[in-house]
Amino acid sequence: MISLPSLAGYAAPRARVDPAQRCELCAAPIREPHRHVVELGVRGVCCACRACALLFEGSAADARYRSVPDRVIIDRDFALPADRLGIPVGLACIVRDPAHDRVLACYPGPAGIVDGELTAEAWTALAAATQLADRLEPDVEALLVHSERGSARSTCYLVPITAMYELAGRLRRTWHGFHGGDEAERELAAFFADLDRVSAPLRAAARPGEAGAFDRKGRSA
């Protein structure tokens, strides 16, 4: 279900039809780049055609499916150290899971994604540190908190949930040994360079559905 290439795919200038790719909801051929839909309560994402993605945009809280937004926003004023959130490593995706009334801290790495529950105190601290917490769409978006090695400062992005799976896949392909090695370090740096290139600053970014919302078109999967 999940095989995600570089974020650079969002900048693809022209749609094309891949005969091997079909919508996982209606089986229609998919144009590249394409959108994704989450089946609530099921881990992963579904590749979706434009019609299905539009159908499930703004779904009700009790809906079975919800479309993954395309926006990426960076809070350049974020100044909360990762240790204030109880995050043991320098990379975590914060996801709201309203079905189970919890907030997850998901750690992408060479073994996939490891989940841990974020404490109420840590979520309160995060919500006070960035307006992105208020904009976070449950189930389909994540707050990506990144601290560079040796730095006490963190950066916070609002990203589609697909970015979490992409990052785990890229690390799995390149990780060697205990610390990851040079190849994994380069892959991580390239991921965040792509993310910085396509992200909109917090103050300039609108909410989903508002005029001026930062838009990125589809991701191959």
Side-chain angles (χ1 to χ4, degrees):
M1 180 184 293
I2 303 166
S3 176
L4 304 174
S6 168
L7 284 158
Y10 277 102
R14 184 183 307 172
R16 61 181 177 82
V17 175
D18 183 346
Q21 288 279 4
R22 290 190 173 273
C23 176
E24 294 184 61
L25 301 176
C26 72
I30 290 178
R31 291 188 176 273
E32 298 293 353
H34 65 259
R35 297 283 302 279
H36 292 87
V37 168
V38 166
E39 183 178 2
L40 302 186
V42 177
R43 195 61 178 262
V45 294
C46 300
C47 301
C49 65
R50 176 177 172 80
C52 286
L54 290 174
L55 178 64
F56 295 111
E57 281 189 350
S59 297
D62 59 349
R64 179 179 178 182
Y65 295 102
R66 188 172 299 156
S67 295
V68 178
D70 292 328
R71 62 182 181 162
V72 176
I73 307 172
I74 183 172
D75 183 354
R76 299 190 185 279
D77 297 324
F78 186 75
L80 186 68
D83 58 6
R84 285 281 308 279
L85 299 175
I87 294 174
V89 294
L91 189 63
C93 292
I94 312 302
V95 181
R96 289 179 58 202
D97 178 12
H100 299 93
D101 191 25
R102 62 182 180 174
V103 180
L104 293 175
C106 304
Y107 305 102
I113 298 172
V114 177
D115 291 346
E117 191 163 346
L118 199 70
T119 66
E121 293 78 12
W123 173 250
T124 298
L126 182 60
T130 178
Q131 295 178 31
L132 292 179
D134 179 57
R135 300 191 180 201
L136 177 65
E137 293 291 314
D139 300 305
V140 292
E141 291 184 316
L143 295 182
L144 176 53
V145 179
H146 176 227
S147 300
E148 293 187 12
R149 186 175 296 176
S151 173
R153 184 176 178 84
S154 298
T155 305
C156 188
Y157 303 83
L158 177 66
V159 298
I161 196 72
T162 44
M164 179 176 72
Y165 296 113
E166 176 187 344
L167 182 52
R170 292 172 73 161
L171 291 176
R172 182 182 299 175
R173 290 194 303 269
T174 59
W175 194 275
H176 301 287
F178 185 76
H179 294 291
D182 293 341
E183 186 179 3
E185 288 287 342
R186 289 192 295 269
E187 192 70 22
L188 190 63
F191 175 87
F192 280 101
D194 284 341
L195 205 61
D196 288 337
R197 182 176 57 80
V198 299
S199 62
L202 173 60
R203 293 172 183 172
R207 297 176 183 271
E210 294 178 351
F214 189 75
D215 183 41
R216 301 191 308 163
K217 296 298 182 182
R219 181 192 303 272
S220 299

